[in-house]
Amino acid sequence: MKGIWNKQGALIALCMVVLAGFFPIHGLAEEAGETAPFDFTVTAEHTLEIDGRITIEPDPPETADGPKYTYSITEGSAYIYLDRNVVIARKTAGTSHIRVVGKRGEETAEHYVTINVVQPQDPFDFSIVNNNLSVEEGESQSLIVLPAASSINGIVYTYRTLDNNAYAKISDTGVVTGVKAGTTYIEITGTKGEEVVVKAATVKVTKKAAEKKLLISTSTNLDKKVGDANFILNVSFNVSKSSVDYSFESDNEDVATIDESTGLVRIRRAGTTVLTVNASADGYEGASKDFTLYVSPASTGSSYSGNSSSGSSSSSSSSTSTPGSTYLPGQTLTYNGKPLNLQFTGRVTVNGMDFRTSNNFSQGNVFALLPANPDGDWWRTPDCFTGSRGVYAAKNQGVATIIYADTAGKQYVLSINSYKTTEVSGFQVPQTIPVGALFALQPPVAGGRWYRNADM
């Protein structure tokens, strides 16, 4: 059996050899005898600073029995030169192109490399303007960080305290707030691309100083009378006035008004009002000071009162307009056919309506009463006054009743006292003083002292 197998095996082998001669196995032959075409790779572009250098490294690399490479500048030789595969930048910025040729046996391949020559860049840096910062407890200030001129864009800053916020804390934007008295350090990290710069600032935290008191005073005379000119409430402080924010207010604007910002006071009638000054300044507690303004009646010795149409009486006080001005500009008042130029410096309020008055009721003088609406009708009691329609002359001493009715028929009853004057030791005084009337004593020289007995 063994001999038969050997003979059959030999026969089969012979047949395969014969068939192989007639039908060659092409795939096996190609795999065994052929290789892929030659090629290589190389980085296509580089950026190089002036005077910098870089090596071009093809892959596969050059070896004794492997590929060989040559290098040549095809464009931009003014910007670079070659030392075989080492590129060296010249002194001028620009773009160059290099041709790389690789050869393996009879096969060759080529690629091009672009070289961008640029001006050298300064290293990234920044500075801390206030790197020795002083803040009070609770006070906040910003750290001022300035990048170098070549590093303006693309910077990210981060901040942290080196004492875990024991003495100060810092925000993401570099705002330092004092926590308690002591010294600490703030670490600032600046990052630009792959570059990182770390610097530190010293922060000294001091105790918060107690605010000082702001003192307000005035030298302005606040004893005034009806008819006095407008005046300024001049105030001073225990610090420079230019460093103080202050304003004014009056608690009784029927007596006097005051301009909120300038302190200009305008007297309106007799009485009292509190003029308040509110002030504030850095480092000082806010302050407020009250000054009382006393306004006496005009020193003409006149008095007058108003009564409602029902007969009930109520006292009224005089008030001033700008001295020398007339009420209802352009209106001409006459008496006995002659024009008058009266100075309207008083005001009587009766039953809700204001009557302006020339405020001179002395015997023999002409005076006028002008209502807010002058189109109504007038009546008066005779004897002590003459005249009509709000313009009268005080003829005799006594009290006259003058009635005004507006266009709607509403009546306003005014009682006016006409008086004689006499001189007592140089003083001009009313000869008679009705009970409840206001009067004035005018000495020839002002500025003295006054005394009176009580009860009357």
Side-chain angles (χ1 to χ4, degrees), residues 122-193:
D122 293 332
F124 160 59
D125 197 10
F126 66 88
S127 61
I128 307 169
V129 176
N130 50 346
N131 62 346
N132 284 290
L133 193 63
S134 179
V135 297
E136 289 184 348
E137 294 173 341
E139 180 190 6
S140 296
Q141 290 190 41
S142 294
L143 283 171
I144 303 174
V145 180
L146 293 180
S150 61
S151 309
I152 294 176
N153 298 318
I155 307 171
V156 176
Y157 296 105
T158 56
Y159 307 84
R160 72 182 185 97
T161 60
L162 300 183
D163 61 8
N164 198 26
N165 299 336
Y167 298 100
K169 57 184 179 180
I170 188 162
S171 71
D172 293 340
T173 57
V175 178
V176 179
T177 302
V179 175
K180 71 175 182 179
T183 301
T184 187
Y185 302 92
I186 304 293
E187 181 184 86
I188 306 171
T189 301
T191 304
K192 182 178 182 181

Side-chain angles (χ1 to χ4, degrees), residues 9 14 62 78 81 86 157 199 201-202 238 249 256 281 312 327 356 365 430-431 439 455:
L14 179 59
E62 185 173 311
Y81 64 91
V86 177
Y157 296 105
K199 295 190 176 184
T202 303
N238 57 332
E249 59 182 288
S312 62
Y327 188 60
R356 303 293 286 193
N365 286 317
Q431 189 177 47
F439 68 97
D455 300 329

Side-chain angles (χ1 to χ4, degrees), residues 106-390:
E106 298 300 323
E107 296 181 281
T108 61
E110 66 179 42
H111 292 281
Y112 287 86
V113 177
T114 299
I115 304 295
N116 299 304
V117 179
V118 297
Q119 295 288 344
Q121 299 294 312
D122 293 332
F124 160 59
D125 197 10
F126 66 88
S127 61
I128 307 169
V129 176
N130 50 346
N131 62 346
N132 284 290
L133 193 63
S134 179
V135 297
E136 289 184 348
E137 294 173 341
E139 180 190 6
S140 296
Q141 290 190 41
S142 294
L143 283 171
I144 303 174
V145 180
L146 293 180
S150 61
S151 309
I152 294 176
N153 298 318
I155 307 171
V156 176
Y157 296 105
T158 56
Y159 307 84
R160 72 182 185 97
T161 60
L162 300 183
D163 61 8
N164 198 26
N165 299 336
Y167 298 100
K169 57 184 179 180
I170 188 162
S171 71
D172 293 340
T173 57
V175 178
V176 179
T177 302
V179 175
K180 71 175 182 179
T183 301
T184 187
Y185 302 92
I186 304 293
E187 181 184 86
I188 306 171
T189 301
T191 304
K192 182 178 182 181
E194 300 297 323
E195 296 181 273
V196 177
V197 177
V198 179
K199 295 190 176 184
T202 303
V203 177
K204 183 179 180 180
V205 182
T206 58
K207 286 189 174 295
K208 185 175 179 64
E211 288 188 334
K212 294 173 284 188
K213 289 187 176 181
L214 187 62
L215 303 180
I216 308 171
S217 60
T218 183
S219 59
T220 302
N221 176 22
L222 294 177
D223 287 326
K224 302 291 183 180
K225 64 179 181 294
V226 173
D228 283 349
N230 301 338
F231 65 93
I232 296 289
L233 177 60
N234 289 311
V235 291
S236 57
F237 307 93
N238 57 332
V239 293
S240 172
K241 196 170 185 178
S242 62
S243 66
V244 182
D245 292 325
Y246 56 95
S247 61
F248 304 88
E249 59 182 288
S250 170
D251 77 337
N252 188 352
E253 294 192 343
D254 287 337
V255 173
T257 62
I258 186 167
D259 187 278
E260 180 181 3
S261 57
T262 66
L264 177 66
V265 179
R266 295 178 173 87
I267 295 174
R268 301 185 65 183
R269 67 170 176 82
T272 62
T273 182
V274 176
L275 305 177
T276 301
V277 183
N278 300 305
S280 62
D282 289 341
Y284 289 80
E285 295 179 6
S288 180
K289 184 69 177 287
D290 293 336
F291 301 97
T292 302
L293 171 65
Y294 299 91
V295 181
S296 304
S299 57
T300 61
S302 64
S303 64
Y304 42 87
S305 62
N307 298 310
S308 67
S309 58
S310 64
S312 62
S313 64
S314 60
S315 63
S316 62
S317 301
S318 63
S319 168
T320 66
S321 62
T322 303
S325 67
T326 59
Y327 188 60
L328 298 178
Q331 180 176 0
T332 301
L333 300 177
T334 61
Y335 180 72
N336 289 339
K338 297 180 180 180
L340 300 174
N341 183 23
L342 301 177
Q343 307 301 311
F344 290 90
T345 58
R347 183 181 71 182
V348 181
T349 301
V350 178
N351 206 15
M353 180 179 288
D354 284 348
F355 291 77
R356 303 293 286 193
T357 172
S358 60
N359 206 24
N360 189 346
F361 307 122
S362 296
Q363 182 176 341
N365 286 317
V366 175
F367 71 97
L369 294 167
L370 287 179
N373 177 1
D375 297 326
D377 293 317
W378 295 86
W379 297 269
R380 67 172 176 83
T381 57
D383 298 327
C384 57
F385 290 94
T386 62
S388 63
R389 297 200 60 77

